[in-house]
Every structure is written in structure tokens, then in C-alpha cells.
């Protein structure tokens, strides 16, 4: 079959077989748009129906999560785990707890995860999970009861050689602790390698917490270097104020850049002196308050209620942007603002934060653009390093682990850049990432036969 026919027929079948899952459709389309060149060069992928197979999860688990709130009422949530592709290793990918989570959300994230994990060069397959549970406003005891109920079902589907979940939106160190505690209790074994993002004293890895944000900044640094630039002296916008955003800001400041804006789902803060990371962490992580509290306590900072952080680009020139909150948060109008404000690089700290229209505008304007599957792969890569430490019952120092992370991000950057060169689109990180990730998984799938 002709390559374009194979791509469009498979995409039509994905739409028909997965109705209403718009984010999943978007993620598949984004990868497929990059594949015509590679399928023309290697028709064996078409002959072996790799496209159809890669879009069909190996297993999808949906379960009821009953729990009792502090007032004694029974609450019901829905739990998901999509085990998408294990050609390269055990399924690996985070759990998201957010009221917006549907099966299609988990499938989009799981699909992205396959190629991201392949790009790291490490032996990990792709999966993702989560629940429509909203951790906001819940007490610690409610979070614990929910996590225990969630793991009571999930435990039978995971294992260090099967499927290794981690955190994502709404799932940080506290939640991983409760989940791991329940897994340990049910299985009566201290199987550290079953979850990553654990605390340092009970099997976690140094630098895992910081890894996604740091890794996104390392990747951006390499992109900037390709144009003879560096973070030193540049002004930056970072959306979000969670795990990824916080450590991205910290590393940008360490490299001499200045982050003048951050946000949460309620609004944004403009801080021309540069975001104070310690205050941000105190507000968001310790007090679990909203970002307006940051603006109220910080001299010279302004709160922009209900506005995305990109609005700051109307008044303030910025050279770099790291969307690090959630999917489809940077649209075409925001892309125009950033281009007019002089942005030279955009790196996706979050998964699919840039809409297809915004991505097109940025790329057409010659902005260096790093897709999430490359830019935010440092988190899962360091999770794989945590698995290595667990398997060898060892724990590495912070400097060594960060050096490994930096080396992995450099490797991902090289893989994307070299693949883009090989396919005649130099500097196109979207094509480079999609093709490099796809070919690694597809070759393994071919080798393993029709399974
Ligand atoms: P957190 O829960 O720690 O933080 C998420 C941040 O994004 C919060 O500031 C949150 O604001 C904001 N946010 C969430 N939903 C929305 C929304 N609908 N509109 C505006 N802001 C929103 O999550 P992470 O930092 O871990 O994850 C952020 C992104 O990075 C996600 O796309 C995730 O998939 C991706 N990612 C995370 C990795 C990790 O290691 N943690 C690894 C790779 C990718 P509020 O507090 O108001 O909810």
C-alpha cells in the first residue's frame, strides 16, 4: 500500500475505533504527520502493520475506586491503567489524578510515552494511568484512603518486570508514598522497583524530583547552543507552578536566565525581578495554597487573575518559553504573542501543551521548538535510573545522578538533531523526535514477531 494511503487509512480507523477521544486523536495525528518519510524509506513497517499495532494498547484496565471521605460518605472514582507498548521493556509512565481525566486522556499520554521512553535509549516500554479523583481540597487522610483503594485494584496489574507507574499531575511524593505502602502491604514484599518517585529514605533516587524540569532546561540549552545562544541574560516564561515548572525555574536561574512569569489554573504571576523559587515552593508545595498568595507576599510581583502566563509577553519581551502545566494550554493567539515578543525557543515541559495550530506558527516563524516527548523525557529517564538503583540495591549521589541525567538529555538532543538531518529537515526537533522514537520501537516490534 502507498505510504500516504497507509497513514490516512490507519488514522481513519483510529478515529472510528476510539470515538470522542480527541486528545488521543491529536497525539496520534502529530506522530503520523512525521512518518511519511520514514515509511517510504522502510516499507517493512507498513508491510508488518506497525502503524495499526502501535495505536492499539496492549491492555487497558478501567476500575472502580470506592473510598470514604472525612464525613463518612462513600465516594466513587474511576481508575485507569493503559499498558500501551512493552516492546522495549516493562510499561513505564505516570499516574495522573485530576478531575479532567478520561480514558482518552490516559491513552494520549500513554501513546506519547511510548516514543518518549524510546528516545531515552533506556529499556522501558510505554504506559500511563490515573483517575478522575481531584486531590485539591482533600485532607491527608482522604488522599491516603483514596490511594489505598486505588492500589488495592492496581497492584495485580503492576510489578517491577511488568509495569512501573510514577507520578504526574496531582501525584507527587505524598501520593507515591501511600500507593507504595499499600502495594507493600498487599503483596508482603518490599519490591522497590514497582513504583518510581519514591522518597529518598525508602528506595527513591536523588534528582528524580527535579529531573523533568532540569532535563527540559538541559534540552533547551542544547537547542540554544545550536544557534550560538545561552540562557545567560535571557528572559523566560514558564507556565504552571508544580513539579516540572518549579525545577525548570530553579535550573534556568542557576544558568543565568530570569523567569519573569509562572502560573496555576487560577491565574498567573508577573515577577520582573525573577520568580523566587523558595517562596513559590512554600506557597504551592508546603502550604498547598494558590499562586495569588505568592504575588501578595512578593514585592514587585503582580497577580493576573484568570490569565495564562503567555499574556505577560504583551508587555515584556521574552526569549524562551517553557509550557509546563497541561495539554493544549498554549494556543495560536499565545504563539503570536510570543513571536512578537521575540521568543527564540519553546520547549514543552508538559505533555502536548502546545496546540497543533500554535506549533505550526512557531515552527513557521523559525522558533526552535522541542516537543514534550523529547524535552520532558528527563523525568522518566531518571525513573529508569531509580529502577537501576533499586535492582542493584544501591543509591547514587546527587552529582553523579544529575550528570547521568545531563548525559541522557544530551543524547536525546543528538538523536533528534541527527535524525532530522538524516531525513533532510535540519533543526526540526518534532520530526527528529517522532522518527527517532518510532523507529526504535518499530524495530523492536518487528524483531519480537506478531504478538
Ligand atoms: P503538578 O501537579 O505538580 O503541577 C501541575 C501544574 O499545572 C500546577 O501548577 C497546576 O495548577 C497547573 N495546571 C494543571 N492543570 C491546569 C489547567 N487545566 N490549566 C492551567 N494550569 C493547570 O504536575 P507536574 O508538574 O508533574 O506535570 C505538569 C506537566 O508535565 C503535565 O503535562 C505532565 O504530564 C508533564 N510531565 C510531568 C512529569 C513529571 O515527572 N512530573 C514528567 C513528564 C511530563 P493548579 O495547582 O492550579 O492545579
Amino acid at each position: 500500500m502507498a505510504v500516504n494511503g497507509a497513514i490516512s487509512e490507519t488514522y481513519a480507523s483510529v478515529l472510528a475505533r476510539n470515538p470522542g477521544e480527541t486528545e488521543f486523536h491529536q497525539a496520534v495525528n502529530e506522530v503520523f504527520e512525521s512518518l511519511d518519510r520514514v515509511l517510504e524509506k522502510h516499507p517493512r513497517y507498513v508491510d508488518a502493520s506497525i502503524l495499526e499495532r502501535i495505536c492499539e494498547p496492549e491492555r487497558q484496565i478501567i476500575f472502580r475506586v470506592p473510598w470514604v471521605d472525612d464525613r463518612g460518605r462513600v465516594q466513587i472514582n474511576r481508575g485507569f491503567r493503559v499498558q500501551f507498548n512493552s516492546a522495549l521493556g516493562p510499561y513505564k509512565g505516570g499516574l495522573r489524578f485530576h478531575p479532567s481525566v478520561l480514558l482518552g486522556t490516559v491513552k494520549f499520554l500513554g501513546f506519547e510515552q511510548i516514543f518518549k521512553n524510546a528516545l531515552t535509549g533506556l529499556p522501558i516500554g510505554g504506559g500511563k494511568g490515573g483517575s478522575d479523583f481531584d486531590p485539591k481540597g482533600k485532607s491527608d487522610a482522604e488522599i491516603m484512603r483514596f490511594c489505598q483503594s486505588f492500589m488495592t485494584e492496581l497492584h495485580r496489574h503492576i510489578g517491577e518486570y511488568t509495569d512501573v507507574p510514577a507520578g504526574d499531575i496531582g501525584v507527587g511524593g505524598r501520593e507515591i508514598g501511600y500507593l507504595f505502602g499499600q502495594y507493600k502491604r498487599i503483596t508482603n514484599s518490599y519490591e522497590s522497583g514497582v513504583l518510581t518517585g519514591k522518597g529518598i529514605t525508602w528506595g527513591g533516587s536523588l534528582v528524580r524530583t527535579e529531573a523533568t524540569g532540569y532535563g527540559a532546561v538541559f534540552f533547551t540549552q542544547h537547542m540554544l547552543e545550536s544557534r550560538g545562544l545561552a540562557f545567560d541574560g535571557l528572559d523566560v516564561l514558564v507556565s504552571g507552578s508544580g513539579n516540572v515548572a518549579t525545577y525548570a525555574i530553579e535550573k534556568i536561574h542557576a544558568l543565568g536566565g530570569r523567569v519573569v512569569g509562572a502560573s496555576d489554573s487560577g491565574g498567573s504571576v508577573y515577577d520582573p525581578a525573577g520568580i523566587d523559587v523558595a517562596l513559590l515552593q512554600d506557597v504551592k508545595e508546603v502550604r498547598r495554597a494558590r499562586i495569588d498568595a505568592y504575588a501578595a507576599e512578593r514585592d514587585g510581583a503582580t497577580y493576573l487573575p484568570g490569565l495564562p502566563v503567555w499574556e505577560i509577553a504583551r508587555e515584556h519581551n521574552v526569549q524562551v518559553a517553557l509550557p509546563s502545566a497541561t495539554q493544549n494550554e498554549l494556543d495560536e493567539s499565545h504563539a503570536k504573542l510570543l513571536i512578537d515578543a521575540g521568543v527564540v525557543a519553546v520547549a514543552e515541559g508538559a505533555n502536548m501543551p502546545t496546540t497543533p495550530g500554535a506549533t505550526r506558527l512557531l515552527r513557521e516563524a523559525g522558533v526552535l521548538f522541542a516537543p514534550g516527548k523529547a524535552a520532558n523525557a528527563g523525568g522518566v529517564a531518571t525513573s529508569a535510573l531509580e529502577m537501576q538503583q533499586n535492582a542493584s540495591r544501591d543509591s547514587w549521589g546527587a552529582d553523579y545522578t544529575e550528570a547521568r541525567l545531563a548525559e541522557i538529555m544530551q543524547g536525546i538532543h543528538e538523536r533528534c538533531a541527527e535524525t532530522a538531518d538524516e531525513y533532510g529537515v535540519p533543526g526540526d526537533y518534532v520530526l527528529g523526535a517522532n522518527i527517532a522514537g518510532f523507529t526504535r520501537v518499530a524495530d523492536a516490534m518487528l524483531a519480537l514477531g506478531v504478538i
Side-chain angles (χ1 to χ4, degrees), residues 3 137 285 301 379 382 393:
V3 162
E285 249 179 74
T382 310
R393 299 189 185 284

Side-chain angles (χ1 to χ4, degrees), residues 113-132:
Q113 196 82 44
I114 303 170
F115 306 101
K116 178 189 309 193
N117 294 4
L119 272 177
T120 66
L122 297 164
I124 39 180
K128 199 83 188 189
S131 173
D132 57 2

Side-chain angles (χ1 to χ4, degrees), residues 152-307:
T152 300
E153 173 57 34
L154 186 70
H155 87 277
R156 60 186 105 246
H157 308 289
I158 62 175
E160 65 176 316
Y161 296 110
T162 314
D163 184 355
V164 184
D168 190 81
I169 290 179
V171 179
R174 173 181 58 168
E175 291 75 18
I176 293 291
Y178 295 144
L179 291 164
F180 183 66
Q182 183 72 349
Y183 183 87
K184 184 177 86 61
R185 176 196 202 185
I186 292 175
T187 59
N188 192 31
S189 69
Y190 208 107
E191 187 189 335
S192 302
V194 72
L195 284 172
T196 58
K198 298 182 294 296
I200 301 306
T201 54
W202 42 277
S205 172
L206 288 165
V207 189
R208 172 60 189 95
T209 310
E210 297 86 348
T212 309
Y214 280 14
V217 174
F218 293 151
F219 193 95
T220 312
Q221 209 183 1
H222 291 301
M223 286 204 302
L224 290 170
E225 276 164 17
S226 74
R227 295 232 178 129
L229 298 166
F231 266 110
D232 199 15
L234 301 188
D235 277 1
V236 183
L237 291 175
V238 175
S239 63
S241 49
N243 174 268
V244 179
T246 302
Y247 294 103
I249 297 170
E250 185 187 281
K251 188 53 83 180
I252 291 166
H253 287 173
L255 294 172
R258 182 173 55 166
V259 179
V260 296
S263 60
D264 66 16
S265 57
S268 301
V269 62
Y270 172 49
D271 188 346
I275 296 282
D276 177 336
V277 174
L279 177 59
L280 187 68
Q281 279 181 306
D282 183 51
V283 169
K284 295 291 295 188
E285 249 179 74
V286 180
R287 287 187 258 160
R288 296 188 188 271
R290 315 298 302 150
I291 207 168
D292 57 348
Y294 173 97
E297 292 170 37
R298 170 87 167 153
D299 283 348
T302 317
Y303 181 56
L304 310 169
L307 290 182

Side-chain angles (χ1 to χ4, degrees), residues 100-150:
S100 64
V101 169
L102 297 167
L103 178 62
T105 321
V106 181
K107 280 165 75 176
F108 120 64
L109 290 163
F111 187 74
E112 285 276 297
Q113 196 82 44
I114 303 170
F115 306 101
K116 178 189 309 193
N117 294 4
L119 272 177
T120 66
L122 297 164
I124 39 180
K128 199 83 188 189
S131 173
D132 57 2
F133 173 74
D134 186 358
K136 275 203 201 91
K138 304 287 190 301
S139 69
D140 262 9
E142 288 176 322
I143 300 275
M144 182 178 74
R145 287 196 292 276
F146 174 80
C147 289
Q148 290 177 340
S149 180
F150 185 86

